[in-house]
Amino acid sequence: MFRGAHPSILVTGGCGFIGTNFIRTMLGQTACRIVNLDLLTYAGHEGNLEDLAPECYQLVVGDVCDSARVAALIGACQPDAIVNFAAESHVDRSIRTPDAFIRTNVLGTFTLIDAARAYWSELEGKRKAAFRFLHVSTDEVFGDIEDTDPTSEEAAFRPNSPYAASKAGADHIVRAYHRTYALPTLTTNCTNNYGPYQFPEKLIPLTVLNALAENPICIYGDGQQVRDWLHVRDHCDAIARVLDAGRPGETYNIGAQCERTNLDVVDALCRCLDKAVPRRDGSPYFNLRTFGPDRPGHDRRYALNTEKLRNELGWQPSIAFDEGIEETVAWYRTNDRWVASTRAAQKAWLAEHYGQDPA
């Protein structure tokens, strides 16, 4: 449990999927104050956090690449910790528009950490000793591990998409700032997340909403790509634990040891929907599956060795996959207002990428 050692936290990208869940996790665990810097791109929604009390939460709309804005904000809010979620994260988009990923993920991380270093260098005593800069990254930096054991924190980076390469570059920047300047950094690399507030371009929400709209459920290649699926609340609990007790300069893998093929995940979602909202003609949602060409450079398997996090910090995932999938399907079925708020951006993306028009 987060002990509240960091009462003032600056979060970047907090209106996105994982950032939203992290802010809710932190405010549910401790009486901290959170300032959220977010550009509110297509995947960031101000409404995700609109119910939070202003005395504990403030949204600042701005670009993490704007060095003057970032430095001024850090100076104004005087954070005890900075947690960096700001990132472009969808591999398909990175293949089409890699420049946006390099800008946000590499330049944005550099801009933020350089401003953090300048701020931290002026702190004194206990505040300087307690300050942390936590960077949230991905298992994709390690690349494809189809026939090998789960990846440890010491494995070499082998990114295979523009997204993964941009995150690997950011991870290297964070490492260098600890080694060169002694900035107390922490890095987390996580496996595939799922849960509420995920923009419906990713596999799970896209499958649920396409199925409910009676649209084809599109599957890349043979659907046998393997990922470790981690509920976003478990991920946020792990980040809080690392922020609270992680050793400065260290990297921690976060995963659930819940490997599933993409086809396994789609079939689990279809079974949940069959039970919760049967189709009018009585046929299974399974019948909506379609198989298309594989994604360029598509990695076959990711999996992380999480022994370091479990042994050093005592963290364990708490949400079983079947339980988490049922809860997630129910969330997307019952949050019509949120789904409607994503509809225009989702329609544009699906029309461009899949040639389909969701209902």
Side-chain angles (χ1 to χ4, degrees):
M1 177 65 72
F2 184 73
R3 295 194 299 267
H6 305 288
S8 175
I9 302 174
L10 173 62
V11 169
T12 63
C15 288
F17 167 45
I18 303 175
T20 289
N21 282 281
F22 175 75
I23 290 172
R24 290 188 171 278
T25 294
M26 294 303 295
L27 293 178
Q29 290 185 359
T30 185
C32 62
R33 173 168 172 76
I34 294 178
V35 176
N36 173 21
L37 176 66
D38 198 298
L39 191 56
L40 296 180
T41 61
Y42 74 93
H45 299 277
E46 183 175 359
N48 288 0
L49 300 165
E50 63 185 0
D51 59 311
L52 298 182
E55 61 268 22
C56 62
Y57 170 75
Q58 177 188 357
L59 171 65
V60 176
V61 179
D63 189 346
V64 74
C65 295
D66 184 339
S67 57
R69 184 68 179 276
V70 168
L73 180 59
I74 291 174
C77 71
Q78 294 285 299
D80 298 290
I82 296 174
V83 183
N84 181 32
F85 293 97
E88 297 284 346
S89 66
H90 190 34
V91 173
D92 290 346
R93 289 182 186 266
S94 82
I95 293 169
R96 288 176 175 262
T97 56
D99 54 329
F101 287 71
I102 301 303
R103 181 181 185 276
T104 299
N105 299 355
V106 179
L107 178 59
T109 298
F110 162 72
T111 301
L112 182 66
I113 200 170
D114 200 52
R117 177 183 65 86
Y119 164 75
W120 169 78
S121 67
E122 298 297 320
L123 295 176
E124 297 179 349
K126 291 182 178 179
R127 288 205 69 205
K128 186 167 188 175
F131 179 84
R132 297 290 184 268
F133 182 99
L134 192 151
H135 171 66
V136 178
S137 190
T138 173
D139 57 1
E140 296 195 35
V141 300
F142 298 111
D144 194 353
I145 62 160
E146 182 174 359
D147 297 319
T148 61
D149 293 335
T151 308
S152 77
E153 289 86 351
E154 303 305 317
F157 284 7
R158 297 188 307 132
N160 292 320
S161 70
Y163 163 61
S166 69
K167 292 298 288 185
D171 290 10
H172 283 312
I173 290 169
V174 174
R175 182 182 187 277
Y177 265 64
H178 174 73
R179 182 67 179 263
T180 302
Y181 303 110
L183 184 70
T185 64
L186 297 157
T187 297
T188 58
N189 294 88
C190 73
T191 59
N192 276 36
N193 278 215
Y194 69 99
Y197 299 103
Q198 188 173 32
F199 185 80
E201 64 188 356
K202 300 294 180 73
L203 177 64
I204 287 178
L206 181 60
T207 295
V208 172
L209 297 182
N210 271 343
L212 291 173
E214 298 283 335
N215 281 324
I217 298 170
C218 303
I219 298 170
Y220 280 128
D222 61 7
Q224 294 303 311
Q225 301 84 6
V226 175
R227 304 292 184 261
D228 177 8
W229 290 92
L230 173 70
H231 194 282
V232 67
R233 286 203 307 275
D234 278 337
H235 183 198
C236 292
D237 284 339
I239 293 171
R241 183 64 182 151
V242 172
L243 185 62
D244 187 35
R247 290 181 289 136
E250 292 296 316
T251 296
Y252 294 89
N253 286 343
I254 305 174
Q257 296 182 320
C258 177
E259 293 186 42
R260 299 286 191 280
T261 68
N262 287 347
L263 200 55
D264 289 338
V265 173
V266 168
D267 289 351
L269 293 168
C270 289
R271 288 193 297 272
C272 282
L273 289 166
D274 286 337
K275 187 189 309 182
V277 279
R279 297 175 70 188
R280 292 178 183 175
D281 65 2
S283 63
Y285 286 97
F286 177 95
N287 290 351
L288 294 172
R289 299 183 315 171
T290 63
F291 293 81
D294 207 356
R295 170 194 285 158
H298 203 176
D299 291 332
R300 196 67 169 173
R301 174 174 172 249
Y302 305 132
L304 294 178
N305 183 322
T306 62
E307 289 182 6
K308 180 177 177 180
L309 176 63
R310 294 167 187 252
N311 293 339
E312 283 191 17
L313 304 184
W315 176 86
Q316 295 281 347
S318 63
I319 302 173
F321 180 75
D322 289 342
E323 172 193 349
I325 286 294
E326 281 195 23
E327 177 192 300
T328 300
V329 167
W331 192 90
Y332 284 99
R333 285 182 49 234
T334 56
N335 281 269
D336 294 341
R337 181 184 169 204
W338 187 91
V339 170
S341 74
T342 71
R343 184 64 71 191
Q346 186 202 18
K347 285 186 70 173
W349 169 247
L350 292 178
E352 175 186 359
H353 192 71
Y354 298 109
Q356 73 180 56
D357 182 18

